[in-house]
Amino acid sequence: MKSLEGSRIRLRQWRDSDRAPFAKMNADPEVMRYFPHCLKEDQSNALVERFTRDIDRSGWGFWAAERLDNSSFIGFIGINYTAQGLPFAPCVDIGWRLSTSNWGQGFATEGAQLALRYAFVQAKIAEVVSMTPLSNVASQRVMQKLGLKQQADTFLHPKLEVNSPLAEHVLYRMHRDDWLSLSV
């Protein structure tokens, strides 16, 4: 896969030049508010390496996201296979993380629409899920705009302490057939 392009955003393979802005983003407490902690540079670089390997191996994953108007790196958007560790695994989840200067402009929604299309049309994935802490209302709005449906029950994320304010997560799902019926 070369890249996915929307009207304002491109999803593509990672470049070495993405590492510094990604590390800066992952060290920003505002960006990482709904994660257990900020990441150190080596942790951020390890993510870039993992994301790059995933895309090389399967053609998809958490792609680097860049704006088309100025080619600036703004974060990541994509789909990720999770084999275990979640109550609904194995699954393919859709997710995003953008720098704060790119919040509230529709980039997450536009990029996630590209990723959903890839998941359901090219990769022929049967179902995509998305999860976030219950308190992350902004990400839930993106999930709703994408047409994902909130599941009735919340769950405690198994990688977080039970008493963590981030432990309780909400789950959204979309089946391929539902996406196809919306896209006709």
Side-chain angles (χ1 to χ4, degrees), residues 112-128:
Q113 287 169 335
L114 294 170
L116 269 182
R117 173 176 291 285
Y118 187 91
F120 292 135
V121 176
Q122 281 90 355
K124 308 242 186 278
I125 294 167
E127 178 186 64
V128 170

Side-chain angles (χ1 to χ4, degrees), residues 17-151:
S17 60
D18 299 328
R19 288 176 183 266
F22 189 53
K24 182 179 178 185
M25 194 179 89
N26 289 326
D28 181 341
E30 186 63 16
V31 170
M32 301 302 285
R33 178 178 13 160
Y34 297 108
F35 294 89
H37 52 79
C38 292
L39 300 181
K40 295 181 172 119
E41 185 176 3
D42 62 326
Q43 294 170 310
S44 184
N45 286 335
L47 277 181
V48 170
E49 291 164 17
R50 190 184 103 211
F51 295 165
T52 300
R53 277 192 314 271
D54 289 347
I55 295 166
D56 282 344
R57 185 181 64 246
S58 65
W60 52 270
F62 284 141
W63 292 288
E66 69 179 24
R67 293 174 62 140
L68 289 178
D69 61 353
N70 60 17
S71 298
S72 65
F73 171 84
I74 63 171
F76 74 75
I77 302 171
I79 51 178
N80 179 60
Y81 177 75
T82 301
Q84 57 190 2
L86 293 168
F88 42 87
C91 62
V92 173
D93 68 285
I94 188 167
W96 45 87
R97 185 180 307 162
L98 302 179
S99 59
T100 57
S101 61
N102 292 285
W103 288 1
Q105 300 174 55
F107 291 120
T109 302
E110 182 179 336
Q113 287 169 335
L114 294 170
L116 269 182
R117 173 176 291 285
Y118 187 91
F120 292 135
V121 176
Q122 281 90 355
K124 308 242 186 278
I125 294 167
E127 178 186 64
V128 170
V129 302
S130 193
M131 67 195 123
T132 193
L134 191 58
S135 56
N136 189 348
V137 176
S139 278
Q140 289 183 58
R141 277 196 300 265
V142 173
M143 294 170 195
Q144 293 160 2
K145 288 177 187 176
L146 295 172
L148 278 72
K149 300 296 179 209
Q150 183 176 354
Q151 302 304 287

Side-chain angles (χ1 to χ4, degrees), residues 146-176:
L146 295 172
L148 278 72
K149 300 296 179 209
Q150 183 176 354
Q151 302 304 287
D153 295 328
T154 60
F155 69 97
L156 295 177
H157 198 291
K159 293 184 179 178
L160 298 171
E161 296 293 325
V162 174
N163 59 353
S164 166
L166 302 175
E168 188 175 10
H169 272 54
V170 62
L171 176 68
Y172 283 72
R173 293 181 187 267
M174 178 176 271
H175 293 276
R176 183 174 185 267

